[in-house]
Every structure is written in C-alpha cells, then in structure tokens.
Amino acid sequence: MSAVIENRIFTGHPLADVAEKVYTGKRISREDAIRLYQSDDLVAIGALGEYARRVKAEPGQENYVYYIHNMHLNPTNFCVETCRFCSYANPEERGKAYTWGVDRVLEEAGKGAALGINEIHMVGGLNPACDLAYYEEVLQQLRIKFPHIHMKAFTAVEIEYLANLDGITYEEVLTRLIACGLGSMPGGGAEIFDDAVRERMAVKKTPAPVYLEIHGIAHKLGIKSNATMLTGISESIENKVDHMLLLREQQDKSGGFQCFIPLKCYYDGTNIQDEVTEPTPADLLKDVAISRILLDNFPHIKAYWIQLGVQLAQLALSFGADDMDGTIMEEKITHAAGAKTPLQLAQEKMEQLIASSGYKPVVRDTIYNIRQVSSLEPAKISESFAERLNALVNDH
Ligand code: V47
Ligand code: SF4
C-alpha cells in the first residue's frame, strides 16, 4: 500500500498530523509521541508503526523478520546492587547465588555450540569476584574454543562496575574486552532513565548520562550495541518518551545502536507489584509501534518473545518490530521473575511463528548480516489481524 492510500485512513483522524509526518518521513516530536501513547486507536498506531518499519527496510526486504541462533549465559547471579524489580537481588536468591569458574562458562557455552548457535548473549550481576581479569580470561578461552561464536556481552552497567573496580576508564575496560573478543554490547541496564523512577526502584547504578556515554564510547571503538527500556516499574508515558528521546539523541551523535528492545517487568520474587501498574498487551504493542516511529535512526526493533510471550511477539511484528531475537536456549533474568515462556524455540518453530504472522523468516548474525532467507512463504493474514488483536487485548 502506498503512503498516499494509507494516509487516507487518517482523514479527519485526531492523529492525522502525526500520521502525515510519518508518511512524509518527518521526525515526530515529544508531544506527537505522547499523543500517540494517549490514543486508544491501537489499529491506527499499529499501522503507523508497521509503515515506519517497512520504509526503513531495504527494497525487497520489507517483510523480513530476523532471528538468530543464540543462547544467554549468566556467569554469576550475585549482584552488589539491589534494584527492586530484579529477582536476582532479593535475599532469598542472594543466598543461593552462584559464580561460575571459567571452566563452567566454557562447559555451558559448549552446550549451545553443540546445538549450532552463533551468538552468546552474556551478562551477569555485579560481583567483585568477577572482575576485568576474569572476564578477559572468559572471553579469550571462549574465542579459542568457539571462534565462530559472536560474543554480545556486558551491559553498560557492568562496564561501569568493572571500570570502578579496577579504577580505570570505561574506554580502557572496553578496549581490553574488545581485544579479548568482545563483539558487541547488549542493551540491558537502561531501565527507565528518569531519576524519580530510579529512586523509587532503588536503581543506584549507571544513570542516563553514564549509560549513554558508555554506549557512545563503544560506538567510537567500532562495536555495535543495543538499547532497552524496562516498563511496568512505575513509569509514566512522559518518562518512556523522554527515555527514547535520549536514545535518539545519542544515536544522532554516535550511530552505533542497531536495535531497540522494549522490555516488560515480571514481578515474582519482588515486592513492587502493589506500587506499579502492570503494562497491558495494548501498552506493550504501543511501546513497539511508538518506538519504531520515534526512533527513526534505529535500524531495528525487537519483539522479545521471552517476555512478550509468543502470541504477543507475533502480533508485535505487525506493529513495527522486525526482529524476534533468537532461539535462546537459556535465559535466567526474566524466568527468575516468573516468565513462563519455554526456553528454546527450535528453528522450525521460530520460522513457522514468523511466516504464519505474514512475514519472511531470515536468519541473521549479530550485526544483521543475512545468513539465510527461509523458503517458507509468509501467510496472508490481513483478515485475521483485527481478530487476533481483539482477542489478545480484550482477553487480558
Ligand atoms: O537489564 C531485570 C531487565 C534486562 C527484570 O540487547 C527484568 O539484544 C523483566 O537487556 N522482569 C536484561 N525484566 C535483558 C536485556 C535484553 C534482553 C534481550 C535482548 C537484549 C539485547 C537485551 O532485563 C535488565 C533489566 O532491564 N530486568 N529484572 C524483571 N523482573
Ligand atoms: Fe544487579 Fe542488574 Fe539486578 Fe540491578 S538489575 S540488581 S544491577 S543484576
């Protein structure tokens, strides 16, 4: 459908001026994004997100949805911090905290390697036993044993912690980790940048300027990174929009973000449930669509199925997401907090989920080089879209 035809849907619509900007490729403002969040017209917001995603794609690749064969590896769940939404940090979990030696990390990585993964997403708690020297050893050994596996590792929070432990700069930490095989950085640890939300949630680590600075340094050193936003921790619409605007501004400067991932908080093992509003499926779909529209300089938006659940992740593809993350054979952070999603999606199942949502499954590497375009044909789904949307949003 051309922009002109799609734009007709918005004739007389309260969001017509915002739609006009999207269809003519103009950047939307803070106020525009807030109005999108305030609107109940989920179909209209989804249509804009989906359009924004299509125009970002290379010609002929508009219906591509990417995924990777990967595993999550968490060498330690001990953390000196006590962010209130994190189930790692509660006393019960802390009592059972583990710290793997280098051999154990290699053993766990070997299980993924045997299944043919090509990325390890490695993050951990802030643990004085796991310092820069430990992680240098981990990366070097992994590179020797599994040279074909890309290491996406260390959030900005961990980089800040490692720098402080050794009394060195963020740049030195990153330079040394890159020399040992670090390939890119995940987006975790951003939470919500607003200071009042962070105060309520006892987030003492890595305020916004530090998170953004560390990603900027990584980009300058030539590696890519992702960015996240954690919802369901007492944030307002304005907090979410301002969070994304800071990321958009940083991306204008350093350009190395490849993907934005809206995250949703799970509450098992935390004591925050009575103080927060749990995001509804409609809220989560808005996060996907509005991030796709607002973050016009981010190449990709991820539907993180581990947190969204498979059905909502499928629907998110029609709202602007173009990435399903990975087949993920191991995940601890969200499962510690109560996520019930199965831990591994076989390639065949992943491809069926994508194709049955109307998109072409594409295996990528971490930095979005195409590895394999699936032979599965995308299903025609236009009639069932409204039904699926209603079922998910109204059944909640
Ligand atoms: O940083 C913490 C969040 C993040 C909870 O970069 C929680 O490709 C839900 O960042 N419920 C880790 N979430 C996950 C993450 C991520 C995931 C997938 C892909 C990428 C990527 C990054 O999980 C943490 C924190 O924001 N988190 N506690 C919780 N109870
Ligand atoms: Fe530690 Fe990260 Fe959990 Fe905060 S969110 S307690 S820094 S592991």
Side-chain angles (χ1 to χ4, degrees), residues 1-58:
M1 228 189 317
S2 77
V4 178
I5 297 173
E6 290 192 39
N7 206 359
R8 279 196 212 133
I9 305 167
F10 286 90
T11 308
H13 194 283
L15 294 171
D17 56 326
V18 184
E20 177 73 22
K21 286 189 186 173
V22 175
Y23 289 132
T24 54
K26 294 206 183 78
R27 201 162 242 205
I28 68 161
S29 67
R30 179 177 192 270
E31 288 64 38
D32 295 334
I34 291 172
R35 281 174 55 213
L36 285 169
Y37 267 116
Q38 286 167 339
S39 166
D40 288 331
D41 192 342
L42 209 50
V43 172
I45 297 165
L48 292 177
E50 153 74 7
Y51 177 82
R53 153 231 160 84
R54 250 181 298 141
V55 292
K56 281 210 85 63
E58 296 292 326

Side-chain angles (χ1 to χ4, degrees), residues 76-90 94 124-126 155 157-158 189 191 201-206 230 333:
T76 178
N77 68 346
F78 176 86
C79 187
V80 296
E81 287 293 342
T82 50
C83 306
R84 292 183 58 211
F85 48 76
C86 178
S87 298
Y88 271 8
N90 72 33
R94 213 176 239 172
L126 309 177
T155 63
V157 176
E158 292 171 88
E191 324 311 1
M201 292 295 125
V203 180
K204 298 188 205 80
K205 64 194 188 187
T206 331
L230 179 64
I333 297 173

Side-chain angles (χ1 to χ4, degrees), residues 85-86 121 152 186-189 191 226 228 230 261 263-266 302 304 307 325 333 337:
F85 48 76
C86 178
H121 177 161
K152 177 174 91 176
E191 324 311 1
N226 295 337
T228 55
L230 179 64
I261 307 119
L263 299 172
K264 164 208 180 343
C265 196
Y266 281 73
K302 199 173 274 188
Y304 186 40
Q307 292 195 349
D325 199 83
I333 297 173

Side-chain angles (χ1 to χ4, degrees), residues 177-197:
L177 292 172
I178 292 168
C180 294
L182 176 65
S184 65
M185 276 175 67
E191 324 311 1
I192 286 282
F193 287 144
D194 179 76
D195 286 333
V197 174

